[in-house]
Short mmCIF file of all heavy atoms in Angstrom, two decimals:
data_model
loop_
_atom_site.label_atom_id
_atom_site.label_comp_id
_atom_site.label_asym_id
_atom_site.label_seq_id
_atom_site.Cartn_x
_atom_site.Cartn_y
_atom_site.Cartn_z
N ASP A 2 12.13 -17.08 4.94
CA ASP A 2 13.53 -17.34 5.29
C ASP A 2 14.10 -16.33 6.28
O ASP A 2 15.24 -16.39 6.69
CB ASP A 2 14.41 -17.35 4.02
CG ASP A 2 14.35 -16.08 3.27
OD1 ASP A 2 13.45 -15.27 3.50
OD2 ASP A 2 15.20 -15.89 2.41
N HIS A 3 13.28 -15.30 6.62
CA HIS A 3 13.83 -14.25 7.44
C HIS A 3 13.61 -14.53 8.95
O HIS A 3 14.01 -13.71 9.75
CB HIS A 3 13.17 -12.91 7.09
CG HIS A 3 11.73 -12.83 7.29
ND1 HIS A 3 10.88 -13.39 6.37
CD2 HIS A 3 10.94 -12.33 8.24
CE1 HIS A 3 9.64 -13.25 6.77
NE2 HIS A 3 9.64 -12.60 7.96
N PHE A 4 13.05 -15.62 9.28
CA PHE A 4 12.91 -15.96 10.71
C PHE A 4 13.08 -17.51 10.87
O PHE A 4 12.91 -18.26 9.97
CB PHE A 4 11.52 -15.53 11.24
CG PHE A 4 10.39 -16.38 10.76
CD1 PHE A 4 9.91 -17.38 11.59
CD2 PHE A 4 9.83 -16.13 9.52
CE1 PHE A 4 8.77 -18.16 11.10
CE2 PHE A 4 8.78 -16.90 9.10
CZ PHE A 4 8.28 -17.92 9.85
N GLU A 5 13.52 -17.85 12.05
CA GLU A 5 13.73 -19.25 12.32
C GLU A 5 12.88 -19.62 13.51
O GLU A 5 12.77 -19.01 14.56
CB GLU A 5 15.17 -19.51 12.66
CG GLU A 5 16.12 -19.29 11.59
CD GLU A 5 17.56 -19.49 11.95
OE1 GLU A 5 17.83 -20.22 12.97
OE2 GLU A 5 18.49 -18.95 11.29
N VAL A 6 12.18 -20.82 13.40
CA VAL A 6 11.32 -21.27 14.42
C VAL A 6 11.65 -22.76 14.67
O VAL A 6 12.18 -23.41 13.80
CB VAL A 6 9.82 -21.10 14.11
CG1 VAL A 6 9.46 -19.67 13.98
CG2 VAL A 6 9.46 -21.83 12.85
N ARG A 7 11.30 -23.22 15.88
CA ARG A 7 11.59 -24.66 16.22
C ARG A 7 10.38 -25.49 16.35
O ARG A 7 10.47 -26.70 16.57
CB ARG A 7 12.36 -24.66 17.50
CG ARG A 7 13.67 -23.89 17.38
CD ARG A 7 14.60 -24.27 18.48
NE ARG A 7 15.81 -23.45 18.52
CZ ARG A 7 16.82 -23.64 17.71
NH1 ARG A 7 16.85 -24.52 16.83
NH2 ARG A 7 17.91 -22.79 17.76
N GLY A 8 9.18 -24.90 16.16
CA GLY A 8 7.96 -25.73 16.28
C GLY A 8 6.72 -25.06 15.65
O GLY A 8 6.77 -23.93 15.26
N TRP A 9 5.65 -25.84 15.66
CA TRP A 9 4.49 -25.33 15.03
C TRP A 9 3.85 -24.16 15.80
O TRP A 9 3.23 -23.24 15.22
CB TRP A 9 3.43 -26.46 14.79
CG TRP A 9 2.95 -27.08 16.09
CD1 TRP A 9 3.46 -28.10 16.76
CD2 TRP A 9 1.81 -26.61 16.80
NE1 TRP A 9 2.75 -28.34 17.87
CE2 TRP A 9 1.70 -27.52 17.94
CE3 TRP A 9 0.84 -25.64 16.67
CZ2 TRP A 9 0.68 -27.36 18.89
CZ3 TRP A 9 -0.14 -25.54 17.59
CH2 TRP A 9 -0.20 -26.39 18.71
N ARG A 10 4.01 -24.15 17.07
CA ARG A 10 3.48 -23.00 17.90
C ARG A 10 4.14 -21.69 17.52
O ARG A 10 3.47 -20.66 17.35
CB ARG A 10 3.68 -23.24 19.41
CG ARG A 10 2.80 -24.28 19.91
CD ARG A 10 2.97 -24.42 21.40
NE ARG A 10 2.09 -25.49 21.95
CZ ARG A 10 2.41 -26.24 23.03
NH1 ARG A 10 3.51 -25.92 23.74
NH2 ARG A 10 1.64 -27.16 23.38
N CYS A 11 5.43 -21.76 17.23
CA CYS A 11 6.15 -20.52 16.79
C CYS A 11 5.67 -20.11 15.42
O CYS A 11 5.54 -18.88 15.18
CB CYS A 11 7.64 -20.78 16.78
SG CYS A 11 8.34 -21.17 18.42
N VAL A 12 5.41 -20.99 14.53
CA VAL A 12 4.91 -20.68 13.24
C VAL A 12 3.56 -20.04 13.36
O VAL A 12 3.26 -18.94 12.75
CB VAL A 12 4.83 -21.92 12.30
CG1 VAL A 12 4.16 -21.65 11.01
CG2 VAL A 12 6.26 -22.46 12.03
N HIS A 13 2.69 -20.64 14.10
CA HIS A 13 1.40 -20.07 14.36
C HIS A 13 1.48 -18.63 14.97
O HIS A 13 0.77 -17.72 14.54
CB HIS A 13 0.54 -20.94 15.26
CG HIS A 13 0.03 -22.15 14.53
ND1 HIS A 13 -0.87 -23.04 15.10
CD2 HIS A 13 0.28 -22.62 13.29
CE1 HIS A 13 -1.09 -24.01 14.26
NE2 HIS A 13 -0.44 -23.76 13.15
#
Side-chain angles (χ1 to χ4, degrees):
D2 61 344
H3 63 281
F4 72 99
E5 295 179 20
V6 296
R7 300 197 187 280
W9 64 270
R10 286 184 184 153
C11 297
V12 172
H13 285 186

